[in-house]
Amino acid sequence: MLPYLVIVFILTACTCGENPAIKIILTNKGLQYGRHAGAGWAQQSLKDLSVPDVSGGIHIRPFGTVGYTLTDMTVTQCDFPEPSIDFYQTVTGFKSTLPGLSAAVHGNWRINYGIIRDAGSFDLAVFNVEVTSVIELGRDASGHLSVSSVSCQATVGNVKLNLHGGGSWIVQPFVDKFYGHIRGKIEGNICPAVEQHILVLERRLQAINVSFQVNEALAVDIPLTDLPFIDDLSLRLDLMGKFYSVKGHEEPPFEAQPFTLPEQPDYMLSMGLSEFTANSASYGYFSAGQLQILINDSMIPRTSSFHLNTSSFGPFIPQLPKLFPGLLMEIQVYAKEAPSFCFQPGVVNLDFPAVVKAFAIQPNATLTPLFKLGLDSKFSGKVWIDSGRIKGYVAMDNLTSTLEESEIGTFKTAALEGVIGLGIKYGVLSKVNKNLTEGFALPSMQHAQLVNPVLNVQQGFLAILSDAEVRNPERS
Ligand SMILES: *[C@@H]1O[C@H](CO)[C@@H](O)[C@H](O)[C@H]1NC(C)=O
Ligand SMILES: *[C@@H]1O[C@H](CO)[C@@H](O)[C@H](O)[C@H]1NC(C)=O
Ligand SMILES: *[C@@H]1O[C@H](CO)[C@@H](O)[C@H](O)[C@H]1NC(C)=O
Ligand SMILES: *[C@@H]1O[C@H](CO)[C@@H](O)[C@H](O)[C@H]1NC(C)=O
Ligand SMILES: *[C@@H]1O[C@H](CO)[C@@H](O)[C@H](O)[C@H]1NC(C)=O
Ligand SMILES: *[C@@H]1O[C@H](CO)[C@@H](O)[C@H](O)[C@H]1NC(C)=O
């Protein structure tokens, strides 16, 4: 029975992979906003689109093939209807339809037939161009989002070509007979152009790093952990969201727990960050040895009535000034374990187990160890978003100290603990809260910004709900 259980456990452990710690939902509201913004931009960029030259031959009985070339084509007018785009469950992607685009193109024409050469300019009107494109979303082996064209259909309703200059009065009657050919040429060019755009987008997605350095200590992995999920109303992406230390790249000794980010159709975007994300960052700092601080007397303001010397500790440890009279002290504080975050409805809790080591500084600069104190502190905080900034407030809920080692005999830690508590409150928390009251700017993107974002703390995760605004879409 036991070996069987072990095998089942190993198999399920291998196939279910890691739980995502970041979830992103794009709702239909977001998709429709993106469509509207994209349509405005597309209309703009069609105006200064340069159309590639077209050449071909038209078979005219009884003369044979007349070769033609169209050059210097520019779109002079474009009536660009809003396209439709919808989540498309059948292929896990989008279906987009452009109904009835009309455009006017001006350019130059040249024909050759045997030794006859002629040239002039033309105006081409294209009516009722309809394009339907289906795009599939996927995930590649390294966890990038990928896009590919599944199908594309283009039809051109009608064309009208007017030639000017040269012997256009001779050629024009023939041209009128070949609208089918011209239409086919245009139709044949649309889908390859659409597919080319999708390829460009795919290459850009591949170029996005799914792992990047956040600061000098931390890097973060954000590959997709799953295939994108699509239903009629939303697109859901699951990302790893694991921080680690740049130096050691040590795996955190805990795993992401599953969580469910509820869908909020009134917001364009929802993002969930599980407490694993915060805890992996905490573990990253811890394993990089960043969570330690050395306190000596030169860090204490000269005007302070308390100084880091053995006589100042007399009231808490009576034997200390007697054993080591008139010596300055040094205090080392470091995290015993990685501080751990716990997200509960409306509250972020933080446990910070630390160690405090005290030394006397001998006149010859040797450090003499005095005692080692275990110091467990618990904090709770609130976070919210106000005026586009993340703000918060932190309070200390509990502080317990235990004397773990002592070179100077035992002493009661209660009075010392009280002083340390005041030090944390006035020395650390007041500064942290000052910063949290001012708040931190939300991470900004180059071409989009969040609008009216809301942050709330839920069981096991933070949820950020927001609308977005495209500022200045990039030209491709
Ligand atoms: C992606 O990561 C590589 C290596 O870490 C780095 O050299 C490159 O600059 C990164 N690219 C971007 C766009 O951040
Ligand atoms: C206190 O520590 C700083 C570095 O952390 C050092 O530059 C300074 O000399 C120290 N002061 C004393 C009095 O030991
Ligand atoms: C020790 O600190 C106290 C203040 O807490 C100060 O009055 C005293 O002069 C200091 N002694 C030495 C030797 O630095
Ligand atoms: C520094 O002074 C202390 C106490 O006087 C002594 O025990 C220690 O050996 C000295 N260390 C050095 C390197 O001189
Ligand atoms: C602080 O924590 C200790 C140990 O976990 C507990 O016994 C004590 O009741 C707590 N005190 C407060 C005020 O929560
Ligand atoms: C508060 O903000 C300032 C400036 O951004 C920064 O230098 C300082 O380290 C922050 N202090 C704390 C306790 O977060």
Side-chain angles (χ1 to χ4, degrees), residues 21-35:
I22 299 180
K23 287 172 182 261
I24 296 172
I25 301 178
L26 173 73
T27 63
N28 193 44
K29 183 182 179 192
L31 183 66
Q32 297 315 322
Y33 172 75
R35 169 190 62 90

Side-chain angles (χ1 to χ4, degrees), residues 378 397-400:
K378 296 188 197 309
D397 294 343
N398 196 351
L399 180 70
T400 48

Side-chain angles (χ1 to χ4, degrees), residues 130-208:
E130 271 191 37
V131 185
T132 300
S133 162
V134 174
I135 299 173
E136 183 175 22
L137 295 179
R139 176 181 73 126
D140 75 5
S142 54
H144 291 97
L145 183 64
S146 68
V147 292
S148 54
S149 171
V150 176
S151 67
C152 174
Q153 279 124 32
T155 56
V156 173
N158 218 340
V159 290
K160 186 93 185 81
L161 179 63
N162 284 312
L163 304 180
H164 318 286
S168 53
W169 58 278
I170 309 175
V171 183
Q172 184 74 50
F174 292 107
V175 165
D176 294 344
K177 295 207 171 89
F178 286 93
Y179 282 145
H181 174 85
I182 298 168
R183 220 170 54 204
K185 267 270 176 204
I186 298 171
E187 278 176 2
N189 274 308
I190 294 173
C191 282
V194 169
E195 276 149 18
Q196 189 57 36
H197 268 89
I198 294 170
L199 267 182
V200 169
L201 179 59
E202 166 69 3
R203 271 189 226 115
R204 285 191 184 185
L205 289 172
Q206 300 305 306
I208 293 174

Side-chain angles (χ1 to χ4, degrees), residues 5-291:
L5 274 181
V6 169
I7 289 168
V8 167
F9 179 73
I10 290 171
L11 284 180
T12 49
C14 293
T15 49
C16 70
E18 286 185 61
N19 284 317
I22 299 180
K23 287 172 182 261
I24 296 172
I25 301 178
L26 173 73
T27 63
N28 193 44
K29 183 182 179 192
L31 183 66
Q32 297 315 322
Y33 172 75
R35 169 190 62 90
H36 181 71
W41 160 72
Q43 166 135 35
Q44 210 58 43
S45 53
L46 270 178
K47 285 228 177 77
D48 34 51
L49 180 77
S50 70
V51 186
D53 292 354
V54 177
S55 55
I58 302 177
H59 196 70
I60 301 175
R61 267 188 287 175
F63 306 111
T65 300
V66 177
Y68 68 86
T69 308
L70 306 179
T71 60
D72 309 321
M73 286 183 279
T74 52
V75 177
T76 52
Q77 209 190 327
C78 180
D79 180 12
F80 191 84
E82 286 241 333
S84 72
I85 184 165
D86 292 295
F87 295 115
Y88 196 49
Q89 220 171 340
T90 321
V91 299
T92 308
F94 303 108
K95 182 175 187 172
S96 171
T97 302
L98 178 66
L101 174 141
S102 299
V105 176
H106 182 81
N108 293 322
W109 62 270
R110 260 195 336 263
I111 58 165
N112 56 308
Y113 172 67
I115 56 161
I116 303 171
R117 299 264 185 282
D118 202 359
S121 65
F122 71 87
D123 284 299
L124 171 70
V126 185
F127 303 102
N128 272 324
V129 178
E130 271 191 37
V131 185
T132 300
S133 162
V134 174
I135 299 173
E136 183 175 22
L137 295 179
R139 176 181 73 126
D140 75 5
S142 54
H144 291 97
L145 183 64
S146 68
V147 292
S148 54
S149 171
V150 176
S151 67
C152 174
Q153 279 124 32
T155 56
V156 173
N158 218 340
V159 290
K160 186 93 185 81
L161 179 63
N162 284 312
L163 304 180
H164 318 286
S168 53
W169 58 278
I170 309 175
V171 183
Q172 184 74 50
F174 292 107
V175 165
D176 294 344
K177 295 207 171 89
F178 286 93
Y179 282 145
H181 174 85
I182 298 168
R183 220 170 54 204
K185 267 270 176 204
I186 298 171
E187 278 176 2
N189 274 308
I190 294 173
C191 282
V194 169
E195 276 149 18
Q196 189 57 36
H197 268 89
I198 294 170
L199 267 182
V200 169
L201 179 59
E202 166 69 3
R203 271 189 226 115
R204 285 191 184 185
L205 289 172
Q206 300 305 306
I208 293 174
N209 279 349
V210 289
S211 175
F212 56 88
Q213 203 163 332
V214 182
N215 55 29
E216 61 288 345
L218 287 192
V220 63
D221 275 347
I222 50 160
L224 290 174
T225 57
D226 265 307
L227 283 172
F229 176 83
I230 284 216
D231 62 19
D232 288 347
L233 294 170
S234 65
L235 160 66
R236 290 165 168 266
L237 299 176
D238 289 349
L239 311 177
M240 184 183 282
K242 178 160 63 184
F243 287 88
Y244 54 87
S245 141
V246 175
K247 260 196 280 171
H249 206 302
E250 228 178 292
E251 281 291 310
F254 43 80
E255 284 178 359
Q257 298 305 309
F259 70 99
T260 307
L261 179 64
E263 195 162 315
Q264 300 278 359
D266 293 343
Y267 290 91
M268 295 180 190
L269 294 165
S270 313
M271 182 161 91
L273 289 174
S274 101
E275 62 191 18
F276 174 83
T277 306
N279 284 326
S280 68
S282 163
Y283 187 76
Y285 280 119
F286 173 73
S287 63
Q290 298 257 331
L291 300 179

Side-chain angles (χ1 to χ4, degrees), residues 231-407:
D231 62 19
D232 288 347
L233 294 170
S234 65
L235 160 66
R236 290 165 168 266
L237 299 176
D238 289 349
L239 311 177
M240 184 183 282
K242 178 160 63 184
F243 287 88
Y244 54 87
S245 141
V246 175
K247 260 196 280 171
H249 206 302
E250 228 178 292
E251 281 291 310
F254 43 80
E255 284 178 359
Q257 298 305 309
F259 70 99
T260 307
L261 179 64
E263 195 162 315
Q264 300 278 359
D266 293 343
Y267 290 91
M268 295 180 190
L269 294 165
S270 313
M271 182 161 91
L273 289 174
S274 101
E275 62 191 18
F276 174 83
T277 306
N279 284 326
S280 68
S282 163
Y283 187 76
Y285 280 119
F286 173 73
S287 63
Q290 298 257 331
L291 300 179
Q292 50 183 308
I293 177 173
L294 199 146
I295 305 167
N296 64 25
D297 195 46
S298 56
M299 293 165 166
I300 292 178
R302 270 171 206 288
T303 51
S304 166
S305 60
F306 182 85
H307 280 274
L308 261 187
N309 61 39
T310 47
S311 38
S312 307
F313 276 77
F316 320 114
I317 313 170
Q319 67 271 38
L320 181 55
K322 290 178 194 140
L323 290 166
F324 298 98
L327 291 185
L328 285 172
M329 289 171 64
E330 180 179 295
I331 310 279
Q332 296 172 2
V333 185
Y334 56 92
K336 191 181 196 170
E337 288 160 37
S340 68
F341 290 92
C342 173
F343 295 163
Q344 279 170 346
V347 189
V348 175
N349 292 305
L350 174 65
D351 274 16
F352 201 135
V355 172
V356 176
K357 277 186 177 171
F359 299 86
I361 307 173
Q362 298 288 353
N364 63 10
T366 306
L367 293 180
T368 304
L370 301 175
F371 59 88
K372 181 175 152 191
L373 213 58
L375 196 68
D376 285 348
S377 42
K378 296 188 197 309
F379 302 89
S380 62
K382 297 197 181 306
V383 265
W384 63 90
I385 294 181
D386 178 29
S387 318
R389 296 173 78 80
I390 299 180
K391 299 185 176 180
Y393 179 80
V394 185
M396 187 165 68
D397 294 343
N398 196 351
L399 180 70
T400 48
S401 61
T402 42
L403 188 59
E404 291 188 351
E405 283 169 23
S406 175
E407 321 289 329

